């Protein structure tokens, strides 16, 4: 029965009884509900006969059903509102039940308990807040409280759902953090490669072209050739000198004319062919 969802909850003071029709120790006869006296049969001054539920005492649960009426006078002023069978009461208190005297050892006949109603019975009685024996108009409203959340399956399901969502959110957060870490490492690796390229660019097309452009002016060791630099400096001077010499010939002079020595101005050469010959000599060709 304790697996069912409670429909009413409260805290009451309880005592114990054992009515088996023996007449011993105030026995008033067989239970009013028609069921024989037994462990788990409780008595209420007002709840319907057949009502089911459980009580909690010091963290332990004990199932019950209402099978009798009582307590009587102790229920006045809403003082004691539940009678527990002697055997269950003995278990609660860590004592023993004497079946001959129908008394629980230890001498303590009262206990504070929490009750949970899981099903109202269809016998005589009144649902809701209990009331003292034979006082139907005087309900003990203080004996009813809100049901603790942990006993409500809706609350349990909601808590489990929140827990699952929290775990899913945590996993997604960890996955996202891992992805971000991987991206950061990838970016750091890329930056390291870029720095290495900046420090050691190697041979580029531009440097190769520059090397080729200076091929005729450098030696085997890559240093400028002295002969090459001298040639570049002399060639323009020779060309200028030959230009002025050519333009200053006497009027009417030509390649075949003779001077006082019997030879023309360019006797050693043959006009432009002589200039080419001179350049070849200078360049060592």
């Amino acid at each position: 029965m304790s697996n069912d969802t409670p429909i009413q909850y409260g805290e009451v003071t309880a005592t114990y009884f054992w009515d088996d029709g023996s007449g011993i120790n105030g026995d008033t006869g067989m239970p009013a509900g028609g069921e024989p006296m037994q462990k788990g049969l409780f008595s209420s001054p007002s709840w319907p006969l057949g009502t089911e539920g459980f009580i909690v005492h010091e963290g332990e649960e004990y199932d019950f059903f209402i099978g009798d009426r009582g307590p009587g006078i102790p229920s006045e002023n809403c003082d004691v509102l539940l009678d527990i069978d002697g055997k269950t009461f003995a278990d609660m208190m860590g004592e023993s039940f004497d079946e001959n005297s129908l008394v629980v050892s230890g001498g303590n006949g009262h206990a504070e308990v929490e009750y949970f109603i899981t099903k109202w019975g269809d016998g005589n009685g009144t649902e809701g807040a209990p009331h003292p024996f034979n006082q139907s108009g005087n309900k003990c409203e203080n004996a009813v409280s809100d049901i603790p959340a942990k006993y409500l399956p809706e609350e349990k399901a909601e808590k489990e759902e929140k827990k699952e969502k929290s775990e899913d959110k945590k996993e997604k957060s960890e996955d996202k953090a891992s992805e971000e870490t991987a991206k950061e490492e990838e970016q750091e690796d890329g930056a390291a490669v870029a720095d290495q390229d900046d420090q050691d660019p190697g041979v580029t097309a531009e440097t190769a072209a520059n090397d080729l452009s200076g091929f005729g002016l450098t030696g085997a060791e890559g240093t400028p050739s002295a002969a090459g630099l001298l040639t570049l400096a002399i060639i323009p001077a020779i060309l200028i000198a030959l230009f002025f010499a050519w333009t200053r010939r006497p009027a009417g002079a030509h390649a075949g004319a003779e001077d006082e020595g019997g030879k023309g101005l360019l006797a050693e050469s043959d006009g432009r062919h002589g200039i080419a010959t001179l350049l070849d000599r200078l360049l060592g060709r």
Side-chain angles (χ1 to χ4, degrees):
M1 288 184 290
S2 60
N3 292 328
D4 297 333
T5 302
I7 55 179
Q8 182 171 304
Y9 163 82
E11 297 182 27
V12 295
T13 300
T15 186
Y16 75 91
F17 78 110
W18 191 270
D19 286 350
D20 60 1
S22 64
I24 300 174
N25 200 17
D27 179 6
T28 59
M30 295 295 292
E35 295 288 337
M37 190 66 209
Q38 58 190 283
K39 188 174 184 179
L41 189 154
F42 287 15
S43 178
S44 168
S46 62
W47 287 334
L49 296 174
T51 295
E52 298 176 358
F54 61 94
I55 60 172
V56 176
H57 178 72
E58 296 184 350
E60 297 294 328
E61 294 184 6
Y62 305 89
D63 293 337
F64 72 85
F65 72 95
I66 301 301
D68 201 1
R69 285 282 171 253
I73 295 175
S75 66
E76 293 180 0
N77 300 319
C78 301
D79 292 335
V80 181
L81 294 172
L82 192 63
D83 251 352
I84 300 173
D85 73 88
K87 293 182 179 179
T88 299
F89 193 87
D91 291 344
M92 282 173 43
M93 307 305 289
E95 300 291 344
S96 60
F97 178 71
D98 187 336
E99 295 196 25
N100 294 321
S101 64
L102 307 180
V103 174
V104 174
S105 64
N108 188 357
H110 295 80
E112 302 299 321
V113 300
E114 297 175 271
Y115 74 85
F116 295 82
I117 303 297
T118 58
K119 179 183 177 182
W120 292 114
D122 55 5
N124 294 331
T126 305
E127 298 179 4
H131 57 78
F133 188 70
N134 290 331
Q135 298 181 19
S136 59
N138 182 20
K139 290 193 175 182
C140 305
E141 301 291 347
N142 290 338
V144 179
S145 303
D146 292 335
I147 300 172
K150 68 178 182 178
Y151 289 95
L152 297 175
E154 293 82 5
E155 293 290 335
K156 292 181 180 179
E158 185 177 351
K159 288 181 180 179
E160 290 296 327
E161 184 178 357
K162 287 182 179 180
K163 182 178 180 181
E164 291 177 0
K165 288 183 178 180
S166 178
E167 292 176 351
D168 291 342
K169 186 176 181 180
K170 182 179 180 181
E171 292 177 359
K172 289 180 180 179
S173 178
E174 291 175 351
D175 293 340
K176 185 176 180 180
S178 298
E179 291 177 0
E180 290 177 353
T181 301
K183 287 182 180 179
E184 290 176 358
E185 292 177 353
E186 184 177 353
Q187 291 175 354
E188 291 176 357
D189 293 341
V193 173
D195 291 341
Q196 184 176 0
D197 291 340
D198 291 340
Q199 295 173 2
D200 186 19
V203 178
T204 63
E206 182 178 359
T207 56
N210 292 337
D211 291 342
L212 290 174
S213 65
F215 174 76
L217 301 178
T218 59
E221 297 299 325
T223 57
S225 171
L229 293 175
L230 182 61
T231 300
L232 290 177
I234 293 175
I235 289 176
I238 296 175
L239 291 176
I240 292 171
L242 291 175
F243 174 77
F244 280 103
W246 181 269
T247 57
R248 291 178 181 178
R249 289 187 310 164
H254 56 81
E258 294 180 355
D259 59 4
E260 295 179 357
K263 295 185 181 292
L265 182 63
L266 300 174
E268 288 185 1
S269 63
D270 186 12
R272 287 174 292 181
H273 178 71
I275 295 173
T277 301
L278 179 59
L279 290 173
D280 289 339
R281 289 178 181 177
L282 291 172
L283 297 174
R285 294 185 297 185

